C-alpha cells in the first residue's frame, strides 16, 4: 500500500462470484451502490478491458453525482480494476483514480482507491468518500442476503367480458397477446405492455376479484406527455397529466417521479401511468 491509497476491506457471507457479479451487473448494482438515501438512476456497463462504465446517482433533495471510467482488468470472480472520475467532487473532477477490487478466501473484499498524489488522497478522505463506500457495502451485505431474484410475472385483471377486455388491452392499447388459451370452463388471455417484464392476465376463472376491483397498479414511462398523447390518439379516456402537491392531486406535471396519468378499462379497473426520471 502506498501513501496515495485508500483501502477498505469487508467480509461477505456470499460466494465470490455473487459479490463480483454485484459489482458488474446493472440490475444488481442498482440495488446497493451508493450511500443510504442514494440510488443509481443510470448504470451503463461495457464489461471488457477498455470498455467504459457510467453511473448517475440521485440522492436527497435530488442531488446528483456522476461517476464514469473504463475497465483496465477483469478476472472474474477474483479481481476487477477500473479508472474512476467523479465530476461532482471538487477534489476529483479533473483526476482519474484507479479502483481495484480484489476478492479472496470466503469472501474477503479489498477495495483500493489509488490517487495521483497524496494530497489528492487526503482531500478525498476529507470529502467522506470512505464513509460512502462503507455505507454502500452495508447495503450490498443486505442485498446478498436475498439469494434469489423475485420478479413479478403477471398481474390478474378481473373482467366481465373477455373479448371486450382483449379488444381494449390488445386492440386499443396495443399490448401484444402472448397467450389466449381455453380449456373447458377456463380461459386465460395474457398480454404484455411493450418493454415490460411483467404481463397482465384476464379471462374466465382467472381471479376471485370482482370486475373493477383492481385499482392503482402503476406503469412507468420515460415521457408522460408522449404517453398521454398516445393514449388520447388510441381513443382511451385518459385523465389530464397531474401530480401530488402538499398531499393533494394537482393538474400539470410535477418533479421527478411526480407526474401521472390515469385511465380505466371497460370494467372500471384503474391504471396509473407514472413518469420515470
Amino acid at each position: 500500500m502506498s501513501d496515495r491509497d485508500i483501502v477498505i476491506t469487508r467480509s461477505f457471507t456470499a460466494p465470490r462470484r455473487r459479490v463480483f457479479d454485484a459489482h458488474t451487473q446493472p440490475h444488481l448494482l442498482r440495488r446497493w451502490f451508493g450511500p443510504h438515501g442514494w440510488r443509481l438512476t443510470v448504470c451503463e456497463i461495457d464489461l471488457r478491458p477498455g470498455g467504459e462504465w457510467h453511473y448517475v446517482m440521485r440522492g436527497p433533495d435530488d442531488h446528483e453525482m456522476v461517476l464514469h471510467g473504463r475497465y483496465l482488468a477483469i478476472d472474474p470472480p477474483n479481481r476487477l480494476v477500473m479508472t474512476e472520475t467523479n465530476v461532482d467532487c471538487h477534489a476529483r473532477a479533473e483526476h482519474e483514480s484507479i479502483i481495484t477490487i480484489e476478492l479472496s478466501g470466503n469472501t474477503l473484499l479489498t477495495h483500493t482507491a489509488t490517487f495521483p498524489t497524496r494530497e489528492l488522497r487526503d482531500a478525498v478522505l476529507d470529502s467522506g468518500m470512505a464513509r460512502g463506500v462503507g455505507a454502500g457495502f452495508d447495503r450490498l451485505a443486505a442485498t446478498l442476503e436475498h439469494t434469489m431474484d423475485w420478479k413479478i410475472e403477471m398481474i390478474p385483471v378481473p373482467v366481465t367480458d373477455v373479448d371486450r377486455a382483449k379488444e381494449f388491452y390488445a386492440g386499443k392499447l396495443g399490448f401484444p397477446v402472448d397467450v389466449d388459451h381455453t380449456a373447458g370452463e377456463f380461459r386465460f388471455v395474457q398480454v404484455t405492455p411493450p418493454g415490460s417484464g411483467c404481463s397482465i392476465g384476464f379471462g374466465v376463472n382467472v381471479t376471485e376479484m370482482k370486475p373493477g376491483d383492481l385499482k392503482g397498479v402503476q406503469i412507468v414511462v420515460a415521457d408522460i406527455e408522449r404517453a398521454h398523447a398516445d393514449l388520447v390518439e388510441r381513443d382511451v379516456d385518459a385523465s389530464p397529466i397531474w401530480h401530488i402537491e402538499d398531499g393533494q392531486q394537482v393538474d400539470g406535471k410535477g418533479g421527478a417521479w411526480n407526474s401521472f396519468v390515469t385511465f380505466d378499462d371497460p370494467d372500471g379497473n384503474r391504471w396509473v401511468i407514472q413518469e420515470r426520471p
Side-chain angles (χ1 to χ4, degrees):
M1 184 179 71
S2 75
D3 61 1
R4 297 181 291 115
D5 293 340
I6 297 174
V7 180
I8 302 169
T9 61
R10 181 70 177 261
S11 293
F12 295 98
T13 56
R16 277 181 284 163
R17 180 76 219 202
R18 184 163 173 81
V19 178
F20 185 90
D21 288 347
H23 283 81
T24 55
Q25 295 186 12
H27 75 284
L28 295 174
L29 275 158
R30 290 179 186 275
R31 297 184 185 180
W32 70 269
F33 191 86
H36 297 289
W38 291 75
R39 56 187 173 81
L40 274 180
T41 57
V42 175
C43 183
E44 299 172 351
I45 288 178
D46 181 10
L47 190 63
R48 59 183 177 85
E52 296 185 352
W53 60 273
H54 176 75
Y55 302 164
V56 178
M57 292 195 298
R58 187 182 296 272
D61 300 321
D62 282 339
H63 289 311
E64 279 194 348
M65 182 180 296
V66 178
L67 304 170
H68 63 85
R70 66 188 186 282
Y71 294 103
L72 303 179
I74 303 168
D75 178 24
N78 305 308
R79 193 166 182 262
L80 184 69
V81 184
M82 55 192 178
T83 67
E84 180 182 277
T85 300
N86 182 342
V87 300
D88 297 296
C89 174
H90 177 72
R92 303 171 65 193
E94 298 180 0
H95 301 278
E96 276 190 342
S97 55
I98 305 296
I99 305 297
T100 303
I101 296 168
E102 296 176 301
L103 295 161
S104 59
N106 188 30
T107 294
L108 177 67
L109 183 151
T110 302
H111 178 286
T112 304
T114 304
F115 299 90
T117 66
R118 178 177 179 177
E119 290 74 21
L120 183 59
R121 189 277 311 265
D122 292 343
V124 171
L125 272 176
D126 291 340
S127 75
M129 171 264 196
R131 291 193 302 274
V133 172
F137 286 163
D138 289 341
R139 296 176 62 191
L140 174 57
T143 298
L144 293 171
E145 291 177 0
H146 301 284
T147 57
M148 294 191 303
D149 290 335
W150 297 74
K151 299 179 179 179
I152 296 176
E153 168 66 16
M154 190 274 291
I155 296 173
V157 180
V159 303
T160 304
D161 185 314
V162 181
D163 289 319
R164 182 180 68 172
K166 183 178 178 181
E167 171 57 28
F168 177 78
Y169 285 105
K172 183 171 281 191
L173 289 179
F175 295 175
V177 176
D178 305 316
V179 175
D180 187 345
H181 175 71
T182 301
E185 296 182 356
F186 173 81
R187 183 180 177 189
F188 176 68
V189 179
Q190 177 174 310
V191 301
T192 303
S196 174
C198 178
S199 301
I200 63 175
F202 51 87
V204 179
N205 295 325
V206 170
T207 175
E208 295 181 359
M209 287 189 290
K210 302 298 182 184
D213 280 355
L214 189 72
K215 303 288 187 184
V217 176
Q218 292 188 189
I219 300 173
V220 294
V221 296
D223 186 332
I224 196 72
E225 292 172 322
R226 181 178 173 186
H228 182 265
D230 185 64
L231 290 171
V232 172
E233 184 177 340
R234 293 175 181 274
D235 198 28
V236 175
D237 187 16
S239 75
I241 298 171
W242 55 272
H243 67 279
I244 299 296
E245 189 173 308
D246 296 327
Q248 302 295 318
Q249 182 173 320
V250 180
D251 288 342
K253 287 191 67 173
W257 296 98
N258 191 19
S259 295
F260 305 88
V261 168
T262 54
F263 68 89
D264 291 355
D265 73 2
D267 287 287
N269 298 299
R270 177 156 297 179
W271 297 87
V272 179
I273 312 297
Q274 180 183 34
E275 185 174 74
R276 175 185 61 198

